[in-house]
Amino acid sequence: IRHRMYVLVIWLTYLLAILVPPGSPPRPFNPDPQLVKISTFCRKCNAVKPPRAHHCRICNTCILRMDHHCPWTNNCVGHRNLLHFIRFLLSVVFGTSSVFWNLCGRIRVLWEARHQPVYDDDVSLSEIIATIVFTPASFFVIFTVSLLTIRTLWNLCENVTLIETWERERVEGQIRRGRLAPIEFPYDLGGPYDNLVASLGPIWRWFLPWTEPHGDGMHFEANEDATPNTPWPPTDPDEIPAYQYVERHMPPMVVGIRHKWQSWEGERLEDFGVDVEAE
């Protein structure tokens, strides 16, 4: 019964992570005075996008509080389905850990019965083969998904998305080289609890499978050290204006190397699903 409950929860959270859209800015989007100075422009949607939103090259739309595009769900992880994605990761870790524990127990039983004859009904060749195959497979799933889960939860404790960790590392490198003035990441509220609540909503909502984070995905609380009326990330000094668009509401086109920069893990901006041409 416990195993079937784990399977049910995994499939339920997986389907929600696939089917629930991550959220996109309303069209037309007319930012209020609080957002107008920190909003940016999407060249693919030809429209203003709110802070922390990015244009996904796979979904071909702007995603609110975009974390990354997940190939497992063929869906972006954004404002609306962030909780569903986290529940899916946790259910996989707990469910597969239960399977791995039972397999390890079965290995002990098979090892103790290694001197029994092969025709004994309690020890079949097919069971031995299945145990040998699925034990390392389940460990591999636990190891890889746990790494992603820990990374995701760590980012939430700092109220930062996967894309913003990449941006923050790039900006910090430019600050060290003196190419940018010191600037604080605006959405880190200080403590893990405050950041988790700001990202996911009240604690009681985390355990209900149908709930989503609170807020509209466009307004975010900033810390006291944030530079007022300044979008994140700051303007890249390596981007050079190429020419000014004729249209009045479009910013100048830029030729930059932002999309070519790699983090210490070798990740580029487009590896998270961001359309660098729209940025």
Side-chain angles (χ1 to χ4, degrees):
I1 294 176
R2 184 176 67 252
H3 172 72
R4 282 168 171 75
M5 288 299 297
Y6 277 129
V7 172
L8 176 63
V9 172
I10 289 174
W11 276 110
L12 175 62
T13 55
Y14 185 47
L15 289 175
L16 289 173
I18 293 174
L19 300 177
V20 174
S24 297
R27 294 289 182 249
F29 174 57
N30 298 314
D32 53 49
Q34 182 181 354
L35 291 179
V36 66
K37 293 183 179 181
I38 59 175
S39 297
T40 52
F41 193 86
C42 177
R43 300 184 184 278
K44 290 295 181 69
C45 296
N46 193 21
V48 177
K49 58 185 174 70
R52 312 185 80 176
H54 295 275
H55 190 95
C56 177
R57 60 185 174 87
I58 302 172
C59 300
N60 195 29
T61 186
C62 285
I63 305 299
L64 294 176
R65 197 188 183 279
M66 181 176 174
D67 189 88
H68 68 284
H69 185 92
C70 178
W72 296 355
T73 62
N74 193 30
N75 193 11
C76 274
V77 179
H79 169 68
R80 287 192 56 195
N81 59 4
L82 177 60
L83 265 174
H84 298 308
F85 180 72
I86 295 173
R87 294 188 190 106
F88 167 60
L89 294 181
L90 292 174
S91 64
V92 170
V93 171
F94 284 110
T96 311
S97 297
S98 175
V99 172
F100 180 73
W101 177 262
N102 291 330
L103 286 170
C104 290
R106 194 57 187 165
I107 288 177
R108 180 181 59 83
V109 173
L110 294 175
W111 178 256
E112 293 175 350
R114 64 187 183 278
H115 298 302
Q116 295 182 11
V118 294
Y119 54 79
D120 195 320
D121 292 336
D122 293 335
V123 183
S124 64
L125 180 62
S126 59
E127 181 181 355
I128 296 175
I129 294 175
T131 304
I132 293 174
V133 171
F134 289 123
T135 300
S138 60
F139 177 79
F140 176 76
V141 172
I142 295 170
F143 179 75
T144 54
V145 179
S146 294
L147 289 179
L148 178 58
T149 305
I150 293 172
R151 185 179 187 182
T152 302
L153 294 177
W154 186 278
N155 289 343
L156 289 174
C157 289
E158 296 182 341
N159 198 9
V160 62
T161 65
L162 198 57
I163 295 173
E164 289 168 344
T165 60
W166 185 92
E167 291 284 11
R168 191 165 61 172
E169 182 180 340
R170 182 182 62 86
V171 169
E172 290 174 352
Q174 291 178 325
I175 293 175
R176 288 193 298 268
R177 291 185 289 136
R179 295 187 56 81
L180 277 177
I183 183 173
E184 293 290 335
F185 179 71
Y187 304 114
D188 187 352
L189 302 182
Y193 175 78
D194 293 334
N195 287 327
L196 285 170
V197 172
S199 300
L200 305 177
I203 295 180
W204 64 268
R205 298 171 63 93
W206 303 353
F207 305 98
L208 302 179
W210 58 84
T211 56
E212 301 174 3
H214 70 301
D216 58 4
M218 295 182 287
H219 296 80
F220 302 98
E221 182 181 357
N223 55 48
E224 297 178 353
D225 298 326
T227 304
N229 303 326
T230 302
W232 178 270
T235 303
D236 195 328
D238 294 325
E239 291 183 341
I240 304 172
Y243 60 90
Q244 181 71 40
Y245 271 36
V246 177
E247 290 82 350
R248 181 173 54 184
H249 299 292
M250 295 187 68
M253 177 64 100
V254 293
V255 179
I257 61 173
R258 175 178 173 227
H259 64 285
K260 298 180 181 178
W261 186 87
Q262 294 184 0
S263 66
W264 69 274
E265 295 175 324
E267 295 171 324
R268 298 177 300 171
L269 188 60
E270 60 185 14
D271 293 334
F272 307 116
V274 176
D275 191 327
V276 295
E277 295 181 2
E279 296 285 302

